[in-house]
Amino acid sequence: MTQAVVIKSKSYGIHLVLNPDVTFQELLEAVIEKFADSGAFFKNANIGISFEGYALTPEQQYELIAVIEAHTSINIICIMDHEQEQVQEACLLQQTEALIRERVTNHALFRYGSLKPGEDLQVDAGLVIIGNVPKGAKVTAAGSLIVFGALDGFAHAGSYGDCTAYIAALSIDTGQLQIGRILYIPPENSGKKKGGLFRKKNTDTFSPQIARVRDGHVIMEPCTKDLL
């Protein structure tokens, strides 16, 4: 059986979903019963309220508010427009996402110096590291990640889910890469030798590489002019 009243919590206070198939008197009784059980959660709170589902007259809205305040310690200070609130929340979300995209696309932070093993560096933008990322270190960037050094630790670019981001380094000797929500899966038997997944680096010679998403997978390629 459909409930006469459902209480939902909102950022501004409470939202009541009212069953339009019951009488207003039944709504009042259901509200009293509901708030007798849950009113303690909003003890002495100054909140807003909104309604959905029942074509309430202004008098009925105020009667519901009076019943709630009479049976709880809640102080209802305003009536919100539920549909307008949803629009406002959607607009706010779009604005937030736009700001994040703008910051990620148009901003990059610089880190001068190598990370230390165990260090966890997280930035809300693109990131350029002038140094190394050793094994045991972790770096996370909202945009693309460029390492002017050796990348041996964990690296995550496009941390908000941006699969157009990339990871580039003078040398990459780790399988712990992620772009957006996609993890890098090293090819089977790729460079395998005793003692590690990849061939041992020649510390005198760097071989720049870039990791990016292609066809739903993170791939690793030599970093050449043709790729940039």
Side-chain angles (χ1 to χ4, degrees):
M1 182 177 177
T2 304
Q3 298 183 68
V5 178
V6 175
I7 303 174
K8 294 185 177 182
S9 178
K10 292 287 184 178
S11 58
Y12 52 80
I14 53 177
H15 175 65
L16 301 188
V17 181
L18 309 176
N19 186 347
D21 298 326
V22 301
T23 66
F24 182 68
Q25 185 60 40
E26 289 173 323
L27 281 181
L28 287 175
E29 293 172 358
V31 166
I32 292 172
E33 182 179 352
K34 282 284 186 180
F35 278 91
D37 296 332
S38 59
F41 290 105
F42 303 95
K43 187 175 181 180
N44 298 320
N46 296 317
I47 61 175
I49 191 170
S50 59
F51 305 99
E52 176 187 357
Y54 200 101
L56 297 169
T57 65
E59 292 77 12
Q60 289 173 331
Q61 289 181 350
Y62 291 120
E63 191 170 349
L64 280 171
I65 290 172
V67 164
I68 293 170
E69 291 184 332
H71 290 83
T72 68
S73 61
I74 296 173
N75 179 31
I76 297 175
I77 58 176
C78 64
I79 299 174
M80 300 291 295
D81 186 322
H82 173 58
E83 293 185 357
Q84 183 180 9
E85 179 68 21
Q86 287 181 322
V87 171
Q88 290 174 346
E89 289 179 353
C91 289
L92 181 59
L93 179 61
Q94 291 174 356
Q95 291 170 0
T96 301
E97 290 177 342
L99 286 172
I100 290 174
R101 286 195 298 271
E102 190 275 337
R103 179 172 177 78
V104 168
T105 302
N106 299 325
H107 293 76
L109 300 178
F110 282 77
R111 159 69 183 250
Y112 295 94
S114 299
L115 277 69
K116 297 178 181 179
E119 187 172 354
D120 185 356
L121 175 61
Q122 301 180 39
V123 299
D124 191 22
L127 178 62
V128 178
I129 297 176
I130 312 298
N132 302 320
V133 180
K135 185 176 180 180
K138 181 178 179 180
V139 58
T140 303
S144 294
L145 170 64
I146 299 174
V147 180
F148 284 98
L151 173 54
D152 297 331
F154 176 85
H156 184 186
S159 59
Y160 286 114
D162 181 10
C163 288
T164 65
Y166 59 85
I167 299 171
L170 294 183
S171 71
I172 299 179
D173 193 34
T174 177
Q176 296 180 301
L177 302 178
Q178 182 175 347
I179 297 178
R181 296 179 175 85
I182 304 175
L183 289 168
Y184 173 65
I185 301 176
E188 292 185 8
N189 301 319
S190 175
K192 279 189 175 180
K193 280 192 175 184
K194 288 183 178 180
L197 174 66
F198 298 92
R199 291 187 297 272
K200 185 177 180 181
K201 296 190 299 295
N202 181 341
T203 54
D204 297 327
T205 304
F206 285 114
S207 178
Q209 291 176 293
I210 183 169
R212 64 175 79 207
V213 173
R214 181 174 294 170
D215 298 326
H217 300 279
V218 176
I219 64 168
M220 190 112 61
E221 298 175 304
C223 192
T224 66
K225 289 183 179 179
D226 294 337
L227 292 172
L228 297 175

